[in-house]
Amino acid sequence: MTSGRDCMFCPTTGALLKVDDLTGEATCPLSGWSRSLEDMNGYKVVSRTNMEEYRRRYDLEPLVKEVKREDAMLEQQGRARATVQETCPQCGAKEMSFYTRQLRSADEGQTIFIECMACTYKRQENS
C-alpha cells in the first residue's frame, strides 16, 4: 500500500504527477505513467515547513538580516558623512553632518539623515 505522499509521484521517475480533471487521471509528464484520480480518493497530504527550513532548502539569504548591536555601532562609526553649514535647532552649532540611505522603493528619493556633531540632535528628511 502506498502512503498519501507516494500517490502524488510517479513510481518510475519520481516526478510529481500532473492532475487532469477532464480525463480523471494523474499523469507523469516524463514517462506518461498514469493513475486514476479515483485511486487517490481518501488520501490526505499534510506538509509543514517554516521559513528557516525553506531558506536552508533553497539556499536563500533573508531579506532583512539581524544585526548585532556592536556591529550596528561599528557600521555607524564607519559611515561616510558630509557636513553642511546649517544651524542646529537644539544647540545652535553652525555645522551638521549628514548621510543618505535608500529606504523607500527605487523610484522614490533617498532619506537624508542629519545629525549635529556637537549635541547629537538628529532628524531625517525625504528627498
Side-chain angles (χ1 to χ4, degrees), residues 78-116:
R79 226 178 241 153
R81 295 179 180 221
T83 57
V84 63
Q85 299 298 320
E86 187 175 327
T87 304
C88 174
Q90 186 168 312
C91 72
K94 302 291 182 194
E95 192 172 71
M96 297 179 78
S97 67
F98 71 94
Y99 61 94
T100 62
R101 289 284 180 255
Q102 186 69 40
L103 300 179
R104 297 175 290 156
S105 63
D107 64 339
E108 296 184 32
Q110 293 184 337
T111 303
I112 304 167
F113 296 92
I114 303 168
E115 185 175 346
C116 177

Side-chain angles (χ1 to χ4, degrees), residues 17-78:
L17 299 177
K18 184 177 180 183
V19 176
D20 186 355
D21 290 330
L22 295 176
T23 63
E25 292 186 333
T27 308
C28 175
L30 301 175
S31 69
W33 184 88
S34 66
R35 152 181 279 146
S36 171
L37 292 180
E38 288 182 16
D39 294 343
M40 299 171 71
N41 260 350
Y43 285 112
K44 181 179 179 181
V45 178
V46 178
S47 177
R48 292 185 182 96
T49 189
N50 60 35
M51 281 309 296
E52 283 302 315
E53 167 73 18
Y54 188 81
R55 276 195 221 105
R56 190 181 85 255
R57 180 180 296 168
Y58 296 104
D59 195 29
L60 300 173
E61 290 291 322
L63 293 176
V64 178
K65 293 184 180 181
E66 292 183 28
V67 179
K68 294 179 184 174
R69 184 170 172 84
E70 301 84 32
D71 293 343
M73 291 175 68
L74 288 173
E75 181 186 327
Q76 280 188 344
Q77 290 170 356

